[in-house]
Amino acid sequence: MSPSFESDNVILIALRALPLTQNYKYFILPRVEICILQPKHNKDKKGNIDIYIWKDRFTDYFKEKISTALENEYENINFISHNIDLCAIVYKLYHGEGACILPLKIAMMLKNENLEIKKIKANFTYLYFYHRDLSSYSNETIKIKKCLSSLM
């Protein structure tokens, strides 16, 4: 069972601003570089790309943003909605199936001999970090922000 966002030790990471109550604080990491992680050996010469995208109620929003960012790069973008973990996606990519959109630093950690990274110019790449507004968080929040900033 996953922890509730109401728990004291939970941080929620979102790619958009969320309307939360006054009991929460947040910080923003602006302009996170994003990229496509894709197989090296499975390039489509016709400008087609299959992109795995997480299936939830915001899928259409991200499809639109990604399509706009990639419209000059690819003739046809096929989105594959999924609810599988990142390790399974990387396994599929390793075997030549599709591509995925990730923050650059995360993609660099996952890249291997069969995968390549292609940077994307995008203007929707802010990360919002939400947490409970507790006085005990003051010192820890600074440490967490530095750690998360180094990963993104």
Side-chain angles (χ1 to χ4, degrees), residues 26-93:
Y26 69 95
F27 57 92
I28 302 171
L29 294 180
R31 298 289 175 202
V32 174
E33 287 185 275
I34 61 170
C35 66
I36 299 173
L37 184 63
Q38 63 186 5
K40 286 181 182 177
H41 60 279
N42 194 22
K43 294 187 181 179
D44 188 324
K45 306 291 186 208
K46 299 174 186 164
N48 298 323
I49 188 168
D50 295 331
I51 298 177
Y52 290 101
I53 188 165
W54 186 259
K55 184 179 179 180
D56 65 12
R57 63 184 178 160
F58 304 108
T59 300
D60 291 334
Y61 169 81
F62 287 108
K63 282 182 181 180
E64 179 183 326
K65 296 295 185 178
I66 293 167
S67 294
T68 301
L70 298 178
E71 66 187 354
N72 295 328
E73 300 286 329
Y74 300 96
E75 290 178 23
N76 184 33
I77 301 170
N78 178 41
F79 291 100
I80 303 168
S81 297
H82 70 86
N83 282 27
I84 56 179
D85 63 71
L86 184 57
C87 292
I89 295 294
V90 172
Y91 180 81
K92 287 178 174 286
L93 299 181

Side-chain angles (χ1 to χ4, degrees), residues 2 6 14 28 55 63 87 102 104 110 126 131 134 141 150:
S2 62
E6 298 294 323
I28 302 171
K55 184 179 179 180
K63 282 182 181 180
C87 292
L102 294 170
L104 180 61
L110 298 171
Y126 294 91
H131 59 86
L134 300 173
T141 302
S150 70

Side-chain angles (χ1 to χ4, degrees), residues 1-18:
M1 183 175 187
S2 62
S4 164
F5 187 49
E6 298 294 323
S7 299
D8 290 348
N9 61 349
V10 173
I11 293 178
L12 176 69
I13 302 173
L15 291 169
R16 63 182 186 83
L18 300 174

